[in-house]
Amino acid sequence: MNPQDIFGMMGGGGMNMADLFGGGMGGGGMGGGVRKRRGRDVGVRVPVDLETLYTGGKKDVTELPRTCLCPGCKGTGSKNAKKNECSDCGGKGMKLIRRMLGPGMVQQMQVPCDKCEGQGNVIKEKDKCKECNGQKCKEVERTLKVKITRGMKDGTQIPFEGEGDHTPDIDIPGAVVVVLQQEPHKKFQREGDDLIMNQTITLQEALMGCAFELVHLDGRKLYVRSPKDKVIVPDMKLVLKGEGMPSEHDDKRGDLIVTFSLEFPRTLDDEQCEMLKKCLPSGIKQDKDHPAGEEPEECFMDDYTTETWKQMAKIGEDEEEDEEEEGGTQTARCATQ
């Protein structure tokens, strides 16, 4: 029978022997080292334009506040840069006390040292560091140089290890994590590795083909043409293969998707109408075979506005009220009969 089984028979329950002898304290069991304390990570949002994400580049993040150990006293708070250990706790900042719970029952517990207030050392006023006034730390500002790889996306995290706050109770400073925040672009929108843009064209360009000059995110000028003999309708999408965003991890590129909006002429004169009639099929359909007396009534549409809609809605409500009143009278008559 092994020692663990004997321990269980004696009432150890599910507890492991390593836990009893220090394994549960982060030391890795008997003889293990003490785990080093690491500071917390801090996130910083950095705005980046789409051009930089397309080409790659560098950006300086300035005036970042940081708490660090005082260089004058090396984090001791003393002007002689020596740790003045508290005599009560031996520089640990904690004391072990025993408390009687009952006959033959003693509880041991750790509490902060009241003499050094848990700091582990006591510094006399005359011995305090002049640079930090005995506080052991200083607030400084520093600059981080952020390298942006082409193809990086909104929300990409770039960690700077060891650039977090460093205080005496921390062995390893945490990281400053730069989070890229893509700024809106006036021409392009990004969806994954694809770029989306809108292009407004005239009716003539929609029917006969269009061409336009485009300045890309890297400064290149593209002369873009629509497919030959292609009629463009509103909201149609055409694509330029390989002209989207570069991929961050390989040499592939997304596509540039162009969505078209059409700008129609406000009015046409008689000459323009005659020219269109010759080259376009007629849009006016009129049935001339109606029997006499059954010809359709001719009516003309008006411009739609919000005010027009309100007036039409009011007319409709009035008509419904009139019909309800007439219907109610008829019902009463039927009931009387």
Side-chain angles (χ1 to χ4, degrees):
M1 183 177 293
N2 61 45
Q4 180 65 47
D5 294 334
I6 297 174
F7 180 69
M9 293 174 63
M10 295 175 63
M15 184 179 293
N16 191 283
M17 291 184 66
D19 295 334
L20 179 65
F21 293 106
M25 301 296 291
M30 296 180 65
V34 178
R35 182 177 298 175
K36 291 186 177 181
R37 297 162 296 182
R38 186 181 187 277
R40 65 185 182 91
D41 296 340
V42 179
V44 179
R45 291 189 176 273
V46 177
V48 185
D49 56 45
L50 193 57
E51 285 83 355
T52 302
L53 294 175
Y54 185 88
T55 60
K58 295 180 180 180
K59 190 176 182 69
D60 288 345
V61 183
T62 59
E63 298 182 356
L64 282 176
R66 184 196 185 198
T67 300
C68 66
L69 297 179
C70 174
C73 62
K74 300 179 180 178
T76 63
S78 173
K79 62 182 180 181
N80 57 12
K82 292 182 179 180
K83 291 185 177 181
N84 302 298
E85 290 187 354
C86 173
S87 58
D88 282 18
C89 64
K92 296 179 181 179
M94 303 291 288
K95 293 196 300 184
L96 189 66
I97 63 172
R98 294 179 176 87
R99 186 169 58 179
M100 293 291 295
L101 298 179
M105 298 180 66
V106 180
Q107 182 188 36
Q108 287 191 152
M109 58 188 300
Q110 282 188 331
V111 296
C113 176
D114 51 0
K115 184 175 182 180
C116 65
E117 298 180 346
Q119 297 298 313
N121 55 69
V122 179
I123 307 172
K124 296 179 180 180
E125 190 66 32
K126 63 183 183 67
D127 294 330
K128 285 185 178 180
C129 172
K130 302 300 182 183
E131 195 168 337
C132 64
N133 194 31
Q135 298 300 310
K136 305 177 184 179
C137 298
K138 291 188 66 177
E139 293 290 331
V140 297
E141 290 185 351
R142 80 285 202 194
T143 298
L144 296 180
K145 295 186 178 295
V146 183
K147 181 181 179 181
I148 300 171
T149 305
R150 65 176 191 168
M152 281 185 169
K153 295 180 174 62
D154 179 57
T156 297
Q157 298 183 5
I158 306 173
F160 287 80
E161 294 293 342
E163 290 292 340
D165 291 341
H166 192 186
T167 55
D169 59 336
I170 293 174
D171 299 311
I172 304 173
V176 172
V177 182
V178 172
V179 183
L180 301 185
Q181 188 171 25
Q182 179 185 310
E183 296 177 317
H185 196 273
K186 61 181 180 181
K187 185 68 176 178
F188 300 105
Q189 291 181 332
R190 182 179 183 179
E191 291 185 5
D193 286 339
D194 292 335
L195 290 173
I196 314 294
M197 63 167 286
N198 187 78
Q199 183 68 23
T200 301
I201 60 175
T202 64
L203 178 59
Q204 178 182 346
E205 290 175 316
L207 297 174
M208 303 179 64
C210 70
F212 58 93
E213 189 175 284
L214 172 67
V215 179
H216 214 319
L217 293 169
D218 57 356
R220 288 180 297 130
K221 292 183 179 180
L222 306 179
Y223 191 65
V224 183
R225 290 180 176 273
S226 62
K228 190 177 180 181
D229 301 327
K230 184 81 171 181
V231 175
I232 299 175
V233 299
D235 297 325
M236 176 181 280
K237 291 179 171 60
L238 298 177
V239 63
L240 286 173
K241 289 287 186 181
E243 287 296 344
M245 294 293 295
S247 175
E248 181 182 355
H249 305 292
D250 51 44
D251 294 331
K252 295 181 180 179
R253 285 180 176 269
D255 300 325
L256 173 57
I257 301 169
V258 184
T259 303
F260 287 92
S261 300
L262 268 62
E263 189 177 69
F264 289 89
R266 294 294 182 183
T267 58
L268 294 173
D269 56 33
D270 293 339
E271 183 180 354
Q272 290 172 325
C273 289
E274 289 301 322
M275 292 176 62
L276 287 175
K277 286 179 182 179
K278 293 178 182 179
C279 59
L280 296 176
S282 175
I284 302 176
K285 297 181 179 179
Q286 187 174 0
D287 191 349
K288 298 182 180 180
D289 298 331
H290 291 286
E294 297 184 9
E295 295 85 357
E297 181 181 352
E298 188 176 22
C299 55
F300 295 91
M301 292 183 286
D302 292 322
D303 290 334
Y304 174 82
T305 62
T306 305
E307 195 62 35
T308 303
W309 179 84
K310 290 180 180 178
Q311 293 175 0
M312 295 300 294
K314 183 66 172 61
I315 294 172
E317 290 175 1
D318 294 341
E319 291 177 349
E320 287 181 3
E321 291 177 0
D322 293 341
E323 290 176 359
E324 288 178 1
E325 291 176 0
E326 291 176 2
T329 305
Q330 291 173 359
T331 303
R333 287 175 181 175
C334 291
T336 304
Q337 293 175 355

